[in-house]
Amino acid sequence: MGEKILIVDDERVILDLTSMILRSRGYQVVTAENGLEGLEEIRRASPPLVLLDYMMPGMDGLTTLRKVREEFPDTYVIMFTGKGSEEIAVELMKAGASDYILKPFNNQDLVDRIENVLRIRRIELSNRDLREERELLLRQIEGWNQELERRVAETTRELEQAHSEVLQAEKLGTLGHLSAGMAHEVRNPLNSIGLFAQILKSALEGDEEKQGWLDKILKEIERIDGILIKLLNASKRPRYELSQVSIAAVIDGVLETFQDQIAARGIEVKRDYVALPPPLEADQGEIEQIFSNLFANSLYEMEQGGTLTIRLDRDERGILLEVADTGSGIPEENLRKIFDPFFTTKPRGTGFGLSVVLRIVKSYGGKISVKSEIGRGSVFHIELPQSAHV
């Protein structure tokens, strides 16, 4: 069965004649006697084509044409008109008519015109579908490109992180050899200096001024020895003793040691213990040192107050930790160097704090990273496997 055509005309003779011609050519025909009925029929039957009379009582053909094109853009319109002026033809085509036929019309000409408009309609709708499909494909391609760019960026970050971890491991290995030799070479003369200082102090008993000088020498010897110990701890794991360690209890205990400093600076502490992991088999002193060093750095950056947030969670990877502050932040050029031994921005810092943290985290097969924004603070992320091979 052919396509459906709606005929809208107030003359019954035209309706009957046109319907007979079109049905004989296999088209489905529906009719309406005025513009309002025609619009209702389009709304109900959705015909591909309307034959619409130009001169009708009530809503005229031109007004009906404009409403059809506005409300039903997939329905095409051929106008019937008894006035063959060029002005009317131009007006009809501007209003959206696909063609117009003068009354009285030739039967074959009517059929040819209808077939031509229906063919044009099929081509235009097909082109529109192709354009929409093309736009959809372009959007999909854009989405694929964005996903590819995201994956490339993610892989690049992972490679950079892996490369950074390899460099850090190499630095710690080199530092280990260097620090072991340095400790041996420095400690021998340092012990001799300390011994002679003690002898001199005994010999100068009663001379408080000179004994005070020797006390300062001995204090500086202790300080140098302390630096050597930190240097060794940053590169080489000292003796350790494994036990079942509660991460939350360690955090609470270390925070307690900083309580006076926290209160003096007006710092707000937020504990966000999302999911408590089971105890970790670890050396408690090492786990305490992780948080002691991180908290000390955060508090140093918040001399005028701020917020220290500790987040503890767990998932299939193990234990997830975050230590965040609202301090001054770390400049981008320093982010790659903060775990390097000897690197510090503190006037009296040794630069071993974060190196020790890195060494401890690595000892448990974990990962540590940092994100920072100038003026808004820093966030240290730590992942520790629940079953660490130490």
Side-chain angles (χ1 to χ4, degrees):
M1 188 173 290
E3 294 171 281
K4 187 178 292 183
I5 297 176
L6 169 65
I7 306 168
V8 183
D9 201 304
D10 61 321
E11 294 184 47
R12 173 51 57 181
V13 174
I14 297 295
L15 286 178
D16 292 342
L17 176 61
T18 310
S19 298
M20 182 179 65
I21 294 170
L22 296 182
R23 288 193 177 103
S24 69
R25 298 301 179 103
Y27 291 105
Q28 302 176 64
V29 177
V30 289
T31 62
E33 294 186 357
N34 57 61
L36 289 175
E37 287 183 13
L39 292 173
E40 286 299 320
E41 196 62 45
I42 296 173
R43 201 170 281 113
R44 184 187 66 81
S46 300
L49 180 65
V50 175
L51 302 180
L52 179 62
D53 187 27
Y54 179 72
M55 297 293 295
M56 291 187 298
M59 183 185 295
D60 63 30
L62 185 60
T63 303
T64 306
L65 168 64
R66 287 176 174 147
K67 286 186 174 293
V68 170
R69 298 307 296 153
E70 179 182 346
E71 298 180 27
F72 312 101
D74 289 348
T75 296
Y76 284 36
V77 179
I78 296 177
M79 297 296 297
F80 282 150
T81 177
K83 298 181 178 180
S85 72
E86 184 177 337
E87 290 80 7
I88 292 177
V90 170
E91 186 178 29
L92 292 175
M93 301 307 282
K94 283 184 176 180
S98 298
D99 201 351
Y100 70 97
I101 298 174
L102 295 176
K103 295 179 182 179
F105 50 79
N106 176 277
N107 293 356
Q108 186 58 48
D109 182 55
L110 171 66
V111 172
D112 290 343
R113 296 285 190 92
I114 289 173
E115 290 179 351
N116 183 59
V117 169
L118 288 173
R119 183 169 58 253
I120 291 172
R121 178 182 180 273
R122 286 191 291 270
I123 292 171
E124 290 182 348
L125 292 184
S126 176
N127 287 341
R128 187 188 67 186
D129 290 342
L130 288 173
R131 285 194 301 271
E132 290 176 353
E133 184 177 358
R134 176 178 176 272
E135 291 299 321
L136 176 61
L137 288 173
L138 288 175
R139 287 195 297 271
Q140 289 178 340
I141 291 171
E142 183 180 358
W144 295 335
N145 286 336
Q146 290 176 350
E147 176 64 15
L148 181 60
E149 290 175 1
R150 186 191 67 79
R151 291 186 181 183
V152 168
E154 183 178 338
T155 302
T156 301
R157 285 194 299 270
E158 290 174 354
L159 289 173
E160 289 177 349
Q161 178 66 25
H163 180 63
S164 176
E165 290 177 0
V166 169
L167 288 178
Q168 290 292 351
E170 291 176 351
K171 289 176 182 177
L172 289 177
T174 302
L175 180 64
H177 293 296
L178 176 63
S179 59
M182 182 184 295
H184 175 75
E185 294 297 328
V186 173
R187 269 182 166 166
N188 284 338
L190 199 62
N191 288 335
S192 298
I193 295 170
L195 178 61
F196 286 118
Q198 292 284 1
I199 294 172
L200 281 172
K201 185 177 180 182
S202 299
L204 294 172
E205 190 172 345
D207 191 335
E208 293 184 4
E209 182 181 8
K210 292 179 180 177
Q211 281 198 332
W213 296 343
L214 290 168
D215 285 336
K216 290 180 180 178
I217 292 173
L218 290 170
K219 188 175 181 180
E220 290 302 307
I221 290 172
E222 289 179 4
R223 192 167 73 87
I224 294 171
D225 192 60
I227 292 173
L228 288 173
I229 291 172
K230 289 181 180 179
L231 178 60
L232 288 169
N233 288 343
S235 58
K236 185 179 179 181
R237 191 175 193 181
R239 289 174 136 188
Y240 60 91
E241 183 178 341
L242 299 181
S243 62
Q244 296 298 307
V245 178
S246 167
I247 300 295
V250 168
I251 293 172
D252 293 339
V254 174
L255 282 173
E256 188 62 32
T257 65
F258 285 97
Q259 197 55 48
D260 290 343
Q261 191 175 348
I262 289 170
R265 297 188 179 188
I267 292 171
E268 180 185 6
V269 176
K270 292 183 179 179
R271 295 176 177 89
D272 184 13
Y273 296 168
V274 181
L276 294 178
L280 176 69
E281 188 177 16
D283 180 273
Q284 179 150 335
E286 288 185 324
I287 303 303
E288 288 174 349
Q289 197 166 13
I290 289 175
F291 293 105
S292 179
N293 290 351
L294 290 179
F295 294 167
N297 283 348
S298 292
L299 297 180
Y300 177 83
E301 294 295 331
M302 295 189 291
E303 291 185 356
Q304 306 303 318
T307 303
L308 175 64
T309 304
I310 304 99
R311 189 173 190 275
L312 174 60
D313 199 359
R314 60 178 295 194
D315 65 5
E316 67 281 355
R317 292 171 292 178
I319 302 169
L320 306 178
L321 293 155
E322 286 185 7
V323 176
D325 64 62
T326 56
S328 56
I330 304 169
E332 187 175 353
E333 63 270 17
N334 291 343
L335 280 175
R336 294 179 180 273
K337 300 181 285 187
I338 60 171
F339 294 107
D340 290 353
F342 304 109
F343 178 78
T344 182
T345 56
K346 300 175 183 176
R348 297 180 59 82
T350 59
F352 292 130
L354 290 178
S355 297
V356 172
V357 171
L358 174 66
R359 195 266 303 157
I360 295 172
V361 170
K362 289 295 182 183
S363 296
Y364 291 93
K367 296 180 179 179
I368 182 169
S369 61
V370 61
K371 292 183 179 178
S372 187
E373 187 175 344
I374 295 297
R376 302 195 63 175
S378 305
V379 184
F380 284 84
H381 302 267
I382 297 175
E383 293 180 21
L384 292 174
Q386 187 64 59
S387 299
H389 300 287
V390 295

